[in-house]
Amino acid sequence: MKKLTKKQVEIMKIFWASEHPLAASDILKLDESMNINTIRASIQSLLKADYIEVAGIEHRGNVLARTYTSKIKIEEYITVSYTHLRAH
């Protein structure tokens, strides 16, 4: 499991706290201190690292938005991170 950056962990915390799949714009609404471009880049990295998956596509106003959901639970991430730290 790939180690996440601070920003990726922040985004994962939002996914873990949500009961529903989220689009990049939803994450921005939940944390307006983030930049939409940073959110999108982080989502792409999280997809590649297999932390999140595409949940679906929804109409948002006049556009289609991809929604994402976490593939791992927070407990799994903490366990792996802790194990990784102890190994070094």
Side-chain angles (χ1 to χ4, degrees):
M1 198 174 276
K2 184 177 171 259
K3 185 155 171 31
L4 300 179
T5 65
K6 260 186 171 177
K7 195 59 73 176
Q8 289 169 336
V9 171
E10 286 178 40
I11 290 171
M12 284 305 299
K13 284 180 183 177
I14 293 170
F15 278 114
W16 288 322
S18 175
E19 295 179 14
H20 307 287
L22 299 171
S25 58
D26 297 327
I27 294 170
L28 183 61
K29 285 178 193 162
L30 292 167
D31 187 344
E32 293 179 359
S33 70
M34 288 192 200
N35 176 303
I36 191 68
N37 295 323
T38 303
I39 293 169
R40 288 188 179 127
S42 294
I43 284 174
Q44 290 308 310
S45 298
L46 291 166
L47 276 170
K48 276 186 191 155
D50 217 27
Y51 278 88
I52 62 172
E53 64 188 351
V54 176
I57 297 174
E58 298 178 5
H59 278 281
R60 301 283 175 100
N62 295 335
V63 297
L64 289 173
R66 216 178 248 144
T67 59
Y68 306 91
T69 188
S70 174
K71 285 183 80 172
I72 68 159
K73 294 183 179 355
I74 190 168
E75 295 83 4
E76 291 175 71
Y77 178 71
I78 290 169
T79 302
V80 169
S81 297
Y82 180 73
T83 306
H84 180 74
L85 287 174
R86 291 195 61 190
H88 289 280

